[in-house]
Amino acid sequence: MLLDIDRFKQINDTRGHATGDILLQQVAERLAATLRATDTIARLGGDEFTVLVENATTIDEISTIADKIKNAFATPFETESGEVFTTTSVGITIFPFDDHDRDELLKNADVAMYHAKQERNNWQLYRADMNVNTEDRLGMEVELRRALERNEFQLYFQPQIAVKTGKFIGMEALLRWDSKALGRVSPAEFIPIAEDSGLIVPIGEWILRAAAEQCKAWERAGLSPFTVSVNISAPQFRRSNLLQVVSTVLTQCHLDARWLGLEITESSIMKHAEQTIQTLIDLRELGVAIAIDDFGTGYSSLSYLKRFPVNKIKVDQSFVRDISSDPNDAAIVSAVVAMSKQLGIKTIAEGVETAEQLAFLSRLECDEYQGYYFSKPIPAAEVAPLILSHQLKTTSA
Ligand code: C2E
Ligand code: MG
Ligand code: MG
């Protein structure tokens, strides 16, 4: 069995390494108290423990032991910095049932643990078909590490339009990855891996710089300036140097801060709301605009919303999709727009695909929209022609 302590890194980061050390010792003690003297317990490194159970013969026995291990984490751990709550994810492989090769044992347990980790606080028995996904994911991480130096990333841009006037307001920058080994991979697949592995930090910096340079290039080319909004991932947002990174990029690109927007998801803003407020205030003081992305999918405390210095709320596309047929979705969007107006915050709807949806949003007095109805995300080179032809249309209309 391979055990990994859930959220250990986070505990280490927030509570300090001394607490992390004590936690590891206590986990070892609890495991020793839970298992039999004939079982072997070892710490492989980091927050990973291995347990070798030699006298279990049935799946029932094995699952009982796994449940006991899980339950050993049910009560909080006492550390010098107070109680720590955590859980464990356990991967289990059976020798020689799963594999005759002893070297494969740990690898199989690791694969099963990785699957257990997806839900946390649970255990999983190894299955041969688990390998496929894990190898995909590991392979993707390996490729992702090389993607920056190999120049495999590119930014696409999707226009944002004012509902009332039809005027062009800005662009959202969206990352695209053309991997030499894997082909085009969707951000929905690789962004979570980049976040888990920490790679999102250097990649995110590249995105900010590329977006700012592109925005400046458009300004130089004589397109009337507009905002370019960049998505900021939770790990990027939590790092203390985001302000510094943003201001350095702006200076180096000679870009006025008001042309840069940041999109931060509701869940990453709300997770550490108190610490978040200061970061948001600092960014606003710098002059960049801030939008809360995927609004409605996380949980928002309305009292925080009042205190957050955000410019815009982005209504999640899941509410927009059926806005004209589902009265609940319509009611939610209508309430979000009304509340934002009261708070002096603009609203933008994402994922607008039909004229019907747009008409509905217009009735609700949503300020802006974005979606396939106007344009899919497009490469930078296609932006100028699109804007120019759109301006011709709106001025002649
Ligand atoms: P998001 O920031 O909420 O981006 C909106 C997603 O909706 C984009 O998917 C966009 O292509 C898609 N979309 C736009 N209009 C429509 C529409 O009318 N209908 C439908 N069905 N979809 C529409 P994409 O580009 O695949 O990105 C997915 C997510 O990946 C983004 O969600 C964002 O969370 C993340 N992501 C993308 N680029 C970046 C990036 O540069 N940095 C970070 N940190 N995350 C990114
Ligand atoms: Mg976004
Ligand atoms: Mg979104």
Side-chain angles (χ1 to χ4, degrees):
M1 299 182 175
L2 194 70
L3 277 78
D4 189 275
I5 302 176
D6 297 327
R7 299 185 8 255
F8 183 76
K9 196 181 160 320
Q10 204 181 319
I11 295 166
N12 238 350
D13 286 349
T14 55
R15 306 282 288 264
H17 288 252
T19 300
D21 288 349
I22 292 173
L23 180 62
L24 287 174
Q25 288 166 6
Q26 295 204 1
V27 166
E29 279 164 23
R30 284 204 193 168
L31 287 177
T34 306
L35 295 159
R36 299 190 198 148
T38 48
D39 301 329
T40 307
I41 305 168
R43 177 173 165 234
L44 277 196
D47 61 341
E48 285 185 355
F49 289 86
T50 317
V51 172
L52 192 64
V53 178
E54 290 183 73
N55 53 4
T57 47
T58 65
I59 298 277
D60 268 355
E61 279 177 78
I62 294 166
S63 60
T64 307
I65 297 169
D67 281 334
K68 273 198 206 160
I69 291 179
K70 200 180 112 176
N71 291 336
F73 285 71
T75 48
F77 294 86
E78 300 291 337
T79 71
E80 48 172 27
S81 69
E83 289 186 337
V84 174
F85 290 84
T86 186
T87 50
T88 183
S89 301
V90 186
I92 305 170
T93 189
I94 304 169
F95 179 86
F97 177 79
D98 287 330
D99 213 310
H100 287 277
D101 181 357
R102 286 167 196 272
D103 293 335
E104 291 291 307
L105 265 182
L106 264 183
K107 200 183 139 216
N108 290 348
D110 197 22
V111 166
M113 191 274 285
Y114 175 80
H115 280 259
K117 200 91 189 151
Q118 303 304 306
E119 288 180 33
R120 293 197 172 138
N121 193 23
N122 85 17
W123 54 264
Q124 289 276 327
L125 284 163
Y126 172 78
R127 293 189 322 267
D129 67 346
M130 281 177 167
N131 263 326
V132 187
N133 277 329
T134 314
E135 270 162 20
D136 275 3
R137 208 180 145 104
L138 289 178
M140 196 175 282
E141 189 179 322
V142 169
E143 293 304 320
L144 211 46
R145 281 185 196 286
R146 303 186 192 129
L148 266 183
E149 63 198 50
R150 286 186 183 167
N151 257 327
E152 294 176 345
F153 288 125
Q154 195 188 346
L155 286 183
Y156 269 44
F157 297 87
Q158 189 178 37
Q160 302 176 322
I161 309 293
V163 172
K164 212 180 255 165
T165 62
K167 281 217 168 96
F168 174 84
I169 290 177
M171 294 280 177
E172 176 177 7
L174 292 157
L175 189 60
R176 295 294 176 260
W177 179 27
D178 289 303
S179 158
K180 279 196 189 68
L182 306 168
R184 166 142 316 179
V185 189
S186 144
E189 271 184 80
F190 72 80
I191 295 278
I193 296 176
E195 290 177 346
D196 287 350
S197 58
L199 286 166
I200 194 66
V201 173
I203 295 173
E205 230 178 290
W206 179 88
I207 296 168
L208 266 170
R209 184 161 283 115
E213 276 169 1
Q214 185 59 62
C215 188
K216 190 70 193 179
W218 281 323
E219 191 189 312
R220 289 210 171 102
L223 288 177
S224 60
F226 47 77
T227 46
V228 172
S229 299
V230 173
N231 292 286
I232 301 291
S233 274
Q236 255 180 305
F237 183 58
R238 280 200 306 269
R239 277 173 78 99
S240 52
N241 68 345
L242 180 63
L243 182 74
Q244 164 106 58
V245 171
V246 170
S247 80
T248 308
V249 165
L250 288 172
T251 315
Q252 287 171 349
C253 299
H254 308 287
L255 186 68
D256 195 319
R258 66 176 194 274
W259 305 124
L260 181 69
L262 302 181
E263 293 192 3
I264 306 167
T265 62
E266 179 184 27
S267 50
S268 64
I269 288 190
M270 291 296 163
K271 216 168 247 163
H272 304 282
E274 279 303 333
Q275 291 123 285
T276 301
I277 290 179
Q278 195 51 48
T279 313
L280 291 177
I281 292 176
D282 293 344
L283 286 166
R284 287 285 296 127
E285 262 168 20
L286 200 63
V288 299
I290 292 171
I292 305 186
D293 206 351
D294 303 343
F295 190 83
T297 58
Y299 58 97
S300 270
S301 154
L302 298 181
S303 62
Y304 276 128
L305 211 51
K306 191 180 63 183
R307 290 167 59 202
F308 282 155
V310 299
N311 307 70
K312 220 187 267 187
I313 280 177
K314 239 182 146 170
V315 182
D316 190 68
Q317 43 178 288
S318 58
F319 302 109
V320 176
R321 198 169 302 130
D322 299 321
I323 193 169
S324 43
S325 58
D326 184 337
N328 293 327
D329 286 344
I332 291 170
V333 177
S334 163
V336 170
V337 171
M339 173 193 70
S340 306
K341 264 200 184 32
Q342 290 292 321
L343 294 170
I345 302 172
K346 282 210 149 89
T347 42
I348 177 165
E350 61 179 19
V352 176
E353 294 181 353
T354 66
E356 210 183 352
Q357 290 166 337
L358 179 58
F360 216 92
L361 290 162
S362 166
R363 256 175 280 147
L364 298 181
E365 295 186 32
C366 180
D367 298 299
E368 300 166 10
Y369 77 98
Q370 177 182 346
Y372 296 169
Y373 179 64
F374 185 84
S375 167
K376 291 202 164 183
I378 49 176
E382 292 172 26
V383 166
L386 179 76
I387 296 181
L388 294 175
S389 82
H390 178 65
Q391 274 168 355
L392 275 180
K393 263 188 264 162
T394 43
T395 44
S396 65

